[in-house]
């Protein structure tokens, strides 16, 4: 196939989504990688390497690779098909081979080291930081290892990439494979109309009578929260919490158990090859947290503050339900009922007040006011699905800053959850001028029956979260792709902008801009709004302990791995739970088997990052509370110190510059009503 015909190789401003087919994937990637290998070989022969002659060309190459590959991995996530999945999987080893070769290239390592040594004084601080991170990553990739160990390290990395992809596939397949047919309408009591309508449609499409409930996230959450039928809730809990495991309705069919064993063993081996004691220590080499003790200290501090609150909350809930002990599939249901009694407001009842168009308008207005930008939809841009839309951002002077795609509705061929991903990164040096472009993806209920998509407040918070990541990516002022936007940012600091922006979705002044009844246009009644805000502290102790449970499980799994004993996934989980949890799930619960964050995503020995970043975010937001939430100067300082700086500076220094001191956990505890 000629290059000109391959849309993945086109030099267009944006990906030509309509034209990309699975057949384009492998040839495009091979062509880019081959060209890059040649270019890199030439770079390693440069006699006097400089920032401009070696580093900048490599930055441009990585940018080009991302530009080619990001539409592929994006499509694989949002319009998954067997053919695309095959092409994608076929390419993963090619990609990983290339990245590993690059990261393990001794000539390049020496060239970078030489630039750092000889040119340092004349470079900008961002350029020096780029070199510092690159040299660190070279060393972490094993560049200084003897040949055999290096080869082994490379094999491990390739295998881990494939195992991660397989893990995620198993979860997706297991989720799609299960559904629950209902013939008696009474069984659906408690569920909201949109979930029921969707189930009816699904049954019709499958040629069945009645209703067919899927295991997609919105349906799962709605069933566990609202369904009056304990039988239905139990069936969903069982199916969800045994996905891709040796237990439950599809036991053994997509079992991730053996994959977890392998993944943990390989990670440990990789860490040992680089002379770290375990994978957790290797992971921390690139983080804001300096060592395992830092991590445990934070988690312990939060655990100590949350535990009494969680015990109180559970006792109150059990009493409210009028039982001796709550079953795990009853907790959300009774919690919702209790919350409704205490606050007379439910997520489902809030939907009519959060029509998507209004929420977007409010969100765009907010970030526009804070960061002096404006956002406009670009009509007729090619996308991958009729529901996906493209928006452009302009600065106060009317100059284009970046763009983003929104793809917000749940579909069966789409990965669950919500995320922001890079489509194009910012690049501005030499003759290169590229503006950042982001993908923002959620899984909300689509519009139906003549009404727009109606969001829960949880959905609104999710949207703000992803938009925070998006701003980090799109408002970057850094010129080099490897440290622009979210690139080069320590994993445990990368959730700062996202969780920071979430805070605004809880502010009365902001809620007034977001909420308006989709039919009557009436604002959210003041009492309801007050109640909604009150829900933020509701069961904060239980929620915190749950997150700490995941974080400690993940960290301990990687920090205490012992090859002689194997992964001990369930033992570790039980150990953590016995120390920290106040709700003990049944022993057939297989939550780890679908814990993609740590087995298929980038959060290995890093789940603690959510709490770590939450502390940073709450503390940063406290600066806005102190000065007024729309304070332009505070926003400008946040933009200048943190948001626009990407990976171009040390995250702790950036935080201290903005806040005038080190992070403090008090604002987070206060936010959750757990301050002592
Ligand atoms: Zn996030």
């Amino acid at each position: 196939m000629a290059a000109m015909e391959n849309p993945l190789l086109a030099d267009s401003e944006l990906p030509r989504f309509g034209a990309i087919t699975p057949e384009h994937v492998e040839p495009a990637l091979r062509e880019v990688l081959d060209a890059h290998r040649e270019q890199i070989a030439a770079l390693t022969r440069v006699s006097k390497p400089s920032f401009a002659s070696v580093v900048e060309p490599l930055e441009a190459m990585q940018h080009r690779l991302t530009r080619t590959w990001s539409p592929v991995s994006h499509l694989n996530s949002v319009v998954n098909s067997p053919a695309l999945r095959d092409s994608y999987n076929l390419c993963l080893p090619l990609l990983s081979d290339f990245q590993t070769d690059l990261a393990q290239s001794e000539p390049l390592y020496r060239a970078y080291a030489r630039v750092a040594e000889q040119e340092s004084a004349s470079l900008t601080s961002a350029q020096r930081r780029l070199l510092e991170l690159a040299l660190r990553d070279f060393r972490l990739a094993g560049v200084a290892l003897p040949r055999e160990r290096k080869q082994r390290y490379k094999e491990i990395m390739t295998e881990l990439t494939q195992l991660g992809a397989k893990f995620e596939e198993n979860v997706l397949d297991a989720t799609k494979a299960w559904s629950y047919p209902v013939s008696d309408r009474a069984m659906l009591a408690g569920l909201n109309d949109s979930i029921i309508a969707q189930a009816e449609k699904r049954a019709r499409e499958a040629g069945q009578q009645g209703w067919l409930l899927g295991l997609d996230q919105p349906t799962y959450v709605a069933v566990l929260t609202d369904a009056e039928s304990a039988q239905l809730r139990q069936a969903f809990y069982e199916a969800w919490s045994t996905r891709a495991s040796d237990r439950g309705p599809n036991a053994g069919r997509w079992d991730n158990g053996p994959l977890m064993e392998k993944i943990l063993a390989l990670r440990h081996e990789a860490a040992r090859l680089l002379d770290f004691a375990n994978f957790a220590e290797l992971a921390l080499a690139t983080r804001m947290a300096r060592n395992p003790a830092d991590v445990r200290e934070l988690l312990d501090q939060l655990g100590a503050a949350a535990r009494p609150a969680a015990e109180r909350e559970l006792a109150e809930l059990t009493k409210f339900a009028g039982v001796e002990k709550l079953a795990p599939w009853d907790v959300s249901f009774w919690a919702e009922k209790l919350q409704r009694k205490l606050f007379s407001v439910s997520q489902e009842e809030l939907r009519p007040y959060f029509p998507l168009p209004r929420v977007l308008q409010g969100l765009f207005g907010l970030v526009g006011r804070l960061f002096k930008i404006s956002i406009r939809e670009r009509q007729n841009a090619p996308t991958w699905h009729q529901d996906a839309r493209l928006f452009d951002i302009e600065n106060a002077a009317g100059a284009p800053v970046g763009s983003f795609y929104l793809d917000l509705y749940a579909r069966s061929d789409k990965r669950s959850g919500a995320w922001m991903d890079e489509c194009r990164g910012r690049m501005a040096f030499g003759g290169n001028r590229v503006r950042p472009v982001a993908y923002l993806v959620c899984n909300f209920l689509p519009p139906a029956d003549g009404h727009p998509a109606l969001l829960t407040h949880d959905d609104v918070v999710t949207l703000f979260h992803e938009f925070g990541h998006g701003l980090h990516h799109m408002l970057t002022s850094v010129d080099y792709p490897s440290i622009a936007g979210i690139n080069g940012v320590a994993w445990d600091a990368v959730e700062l902008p996202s969780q920071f922006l979430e805070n605004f979705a809880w502010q009365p002044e902001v809620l007034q801009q977001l909420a308006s009844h989709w039919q009557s246009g009436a604002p959210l009644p003041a009492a309801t709004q007050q109640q909604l805000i009150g829900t933020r502290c509701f069961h904060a102790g239980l929620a915190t302990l749950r997150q700490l449970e995941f974080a400690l499980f993940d960290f301990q799994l990687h920090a205490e791995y012992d090859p002689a004993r194997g992964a001990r996934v369930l033992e570790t989980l039980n150990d953590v739970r016995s120390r920290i949890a106040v709700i003990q799930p049944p022993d057939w619960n297989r939550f780890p088997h679908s814990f993609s964050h740590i087995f298929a995503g980038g959060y290995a020995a890093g789940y603690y990052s959510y709490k770590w970043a939450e502390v940073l975010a709450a503390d940063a937001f406290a600066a806005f509370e102190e000065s007024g939430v729309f304070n332009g100067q505070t926003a400008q300082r946040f933009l200048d110190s943190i948001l626009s700086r990407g990976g171009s500076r040390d995250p702790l220094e950036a935080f201290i510059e903005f806040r005038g001191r080190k992070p403090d956990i008090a604002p987070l505890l206060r936010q959750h009503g757990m301050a002592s």
Side-chain angles (χ1 to χ4, degrees):
M1 194 181 306
M4 277 184 61
E5 294 165 5
N6 194 325
L8 287 167
L9 295 171
D11 222 3
S12 47
E13 182 213 354
L14 294 165
R16 291 168 45 202
F17 284 109
I20 301 168
T21 67
E23 294 76 54
H24 293 124
V25 173
E26 197 194 341
L29 185 68
R30 281 194 188 277
E31 184 166 329
V32 170
L33 293 181
D34 288 348
H36 283 184
R37 283 187 197 278
E38 265 178 51
Q39 251 183 298
I40 290 167
L43 288 183
T44 59
R45 290 192 294 267
V46 172
S47 60
K48 281 189 184 132
S50 69
F51 199 89
S53 69
V54 173
V55 180
E56 288 187 350
L58 259 167
E59 287 284 312
M61 268 185 256
Q62 288 288 22
H63 192 269
R64 169 134 178 91
L65 181 55
T66 305
R67 213 181 62 190
T68 309
W69 184 247
S70 112
V72 177
S73 67
H74 175 66
L75 291 174
N76 190 53
S77 295
V78 296
V79 280
N80 193 280
S81 70
L84 182 57
R85 184 190 283 191
D86 287 348
S87 313
Y88 176 81
N89 286 341
L90 201 68
C91 287
L92 284 179
L94 302 178
L95 204 58
S96 146
D97 269 359
F98 173 79
Q99 296 291 20
T100 312
D101 281 349
L102 188 63
Q104 292 190 341
S105 160
E106 282 172 57
L108 276 182
Y109 173 57
R110 281 197 301 271
Y112 269 63
R114 196 182 148 133
V115 174
E117 237 173 63
Q118 304 195 336
E119 225 176 309
S120 204
S122 61
L123 296 176
T124 65
S125 65
Q127 289 170 325
R128 279 199 301 274
R129 172 83 177 167
L130 185 160
L131 287 172
E132 184 193 315
L133 296 188
L135 288 169
R136 177 198 74 190
D137 292 343
F138 272 122
R139 285 189 286 267
L140 290 179
V143 79
L145 293 178
R147 218 161 66 98
E148 261 166 50
R149 282 168 84 181
K150 199 190 229 178
Q151 180 53 31
R152 175 65 192 142
Y153 189 81
K154 193 175 156 178
E155 285 164 17
I156 293 175
M157 289 302 122
T158 307
E159 204 179 340
L160 278 174
T161 311
Q162 290 162 332
L163 290 171
K166 184 69 190 154
F167 185 99
E168 182 65 36
E169 264 178 45
N170 282 343
V171 175
L172 190 62
D173 287 344
T175 307
K176 267 169 89 167
W178 192 85
S179 55
Y180 195 95
V182 172
S183 51
D184 178 5
R185 181 78 160 70
M187 189 78 165
L188 302 173
L191 291 177
N192 69 74
D193 294 344
S194 30
I195 293 284
I196 293 174
Q198 215 195 21
E200 199 175 354
K201 189 168 156 236
R202 193 191 284 260
R204 265 205 316 277
E205 283 167 2
Q208 296 177 20
Q209 299 287 314
W211 301 266
L212 193 59
L213 294 159
L215 199 56
D216 56 281
Q217 209 169 356
T219 306
Y220 169 73
V221 172
V223 168
L224 265 279
T225 312
D226 298 329
E228 297 285 341
S229 161
Q231 186 193 330
L232 190 62
R233 294 199 306 269
Q234 182 173 356
F236 267 77
Y237 176 86
E238 227 183 290
W240 180 266
S241 63
T242 56
R243 283 176 303 159
S245 80
D246 58 331
R247 304 297 285 265
N250 280 314
R253 250 190 102 182
W254 294 281
D255 188 2
N256 272 335
L259 292 187
M260 294 190 288
E261 282 286 341
K262 260 195 212 158
I263 289 170
L264 288 165
L266 289 173
R267 282 179 185 160
H268 185 77
E269 192 187 341
R272 297 293 300 133
L273 282 172
L274 292 176
D275 292 325
F276 288 96
N278 52 58
F279 184 80
E281 295 208 353
L282 164 59
L284 290 190
T286 57
R287 303 268 171 79
M288 183 172 171
R290 304 275 192 248
N291 53 56
D294 268 10
V295 174
R296 287 179 198 266
E297 188 192 323
L298 178 89
L299 298 178
D300 285 347
Q301 272 183 350
L302 290 172
R307 175 111 197 173
E311 280 168 351
R312 247 190 343 263
E313 290 158 7
L314 185 63
E316 184 196 30
L317 186 66
T318 311
K319 191 170 159 222
F320 174 72
V323 292
E324 281 276 302
K325 194 166 182 283
L326 285 164
W329 47 89
D330 292 337
V331 173
S332 301
F333 177 74
W334 287 108
E336 176 75 9
K337 278 208 167 12
L338 176 61
Q339 190 175 8
R340 246 186 253 202
K341 182 178 164 241
L342 294 176
F343 299 101
S344 63
V345 55
S346 82
Q347 286 291 330
E348 291 302 326
E349 284 161 9
L350 287 168
R351 281 191 194 270
Y353 286 98
F354 292 114
L356 182 70
R358 171 75 181 204
V359 172
L360 285 181
Q361 196 188 2
L363 170 61
F364 295 170
L366 168 71
V367 297
R369 183 169 172 186
L370 287 175
F371 303 115
K372 303 185 181 64
I373 52 175
S374 60
I375 298 174
R376 226 188 318 271
E377 180 160 14
R378 197 191 306 185
Q379 302 297 335
N380 305 320
T383 63
W384 51 92
H385 189 274
Q386 63 199 34
D387 291 338
R389 301 154 71 184
L390 177 69
F391 295 82
D392 295 311
I393 301 185
E394 287 179 357
N395 66 16
V401 171
S403 309
F404 60 94
Y405 293 95
L406 279 186
D407 181 359
L408 298 181
Y409 309 137
R411 291 191 297 271
S412 65
D413 55 357
K414 189 168 164 182
R415 180 153 70 85
S416 65
W419 66 91
M420 189 287 292
D421 203 358
E422 175 178 281
C423 172
R424 302 268 201 268
R426 183 180 140 92
M427 179 163 65
F429 57 84
N432 303 298
R433 289 289 176 281
V434 180
R435 287 188 296 274
V437 182
Y439 304 114
L440 296 166
V441 184
C442 296
N443 269 282
F444 302 150
L445 281 179
D449 295 337
H451 65 72
L454 301 173
L455 310 190
T456 64
H457 184 259
D458 286 345
D459 291 340
V460 173
V461 172
T462 300
L463 182 64
F464 271 58
H465 179 101
E466 299 311 332
F467 209 82
H469 284 308
L471 290 177
H472 202 185
H473 178 64
M474 295 181 286
L475 299 188
T476 197
S477 60
V478 179
D479 299 336
Y480 295 99
S482 70
I483 50 169
I486 62 169
N487 295 328
V489 177
W491 264 107
D492 45 3
V494 84
E495 295 293 333
L496 165 55
S498 52
Q499 301 194 3
F500 161 78
L501 202 66
E502 276 184 36
N503 285 293
F504 286 91
W506 293 98
Q507 292 307 304
E509 307 91 316
V510 178
L511 280 167
Q512 281 162 24
Q513 308 295 317
L514 297 177
S516 142
H517 195 281
W518 75 274
Q519 276 170 309
S520 67
L524 191 61
T528 313
Q529 180 174 295
Q530 209 181 357
Q531 301 259 330
L532 168 65
I533 293 168
T535 61
R536 198 179 189 189
C537 295
F538 178 71
H539 284 187
L542 286 169
T544 301
L545 282 196
R546 197 173 149 76
Q547 287 297 309
L548 292 176
E549 181 183 316
F550 297 164
L552 281 164
F553 164 64
D554 161 50
F555 204 74
Q556 195 169 318
L557 205 55
H558 291 97
E560 292 173 12
Y561 182 88
D562 174 357
R565 293 191 302 177
R568 304 176 72 247
V569 172
L570 294 173
E571 291 91 326
T572 304
L573 183 62
N574 288 336
D575 176 51
V576 169
R577 278 180 174 160
S578 69
R579 280 189 289 122
I580 188 155
V582 295
I583 297 173
Q584 298 295 338
D587 60 6
W588 46 259
N589 178 299
R590 289 291 181 271
F591 149 75
H593 293 66
S594 57
F595 197 8
S596 298
H597 273 83
I598 71 163
F599 291 110
Y603 280 88
Y607 199 84
Y608 77 87
S609 303
Y610 280 109
K611 277 292 156 203
W612 185 276
E614 228 179 296
V615 168
L616 302 178
D619 198 6
F621 186 70
F624 283 76
E625 289 175 309
E626 289 155 19
S627 65
V629 289
F630 299 122
N631 187 292
Q633 282 169 327
T634 311
Q636 190 65 42
R637 249 179 337 109
F638 185 69
L639 183 67
D640 292 343
S641 311
I642 297 176
L643 197 58
S644 69
R645 302 294 294 274
S648 73
R649 62 186 305 193
D650 178 81
L652 186 60
E653 275 171 31
F655 189 90
I656 291 172
E657 180 182 297
F658 170 64
R659 202 66 177 101
R661 56 162 173 74
K662 283 185 177 178
D664 180 3
I665 69 166
L668 181 64
L669 295 181
R670 210 163 47 232
Q671 202 173 76
H672 287 156
M674 296 190 299
S676 49

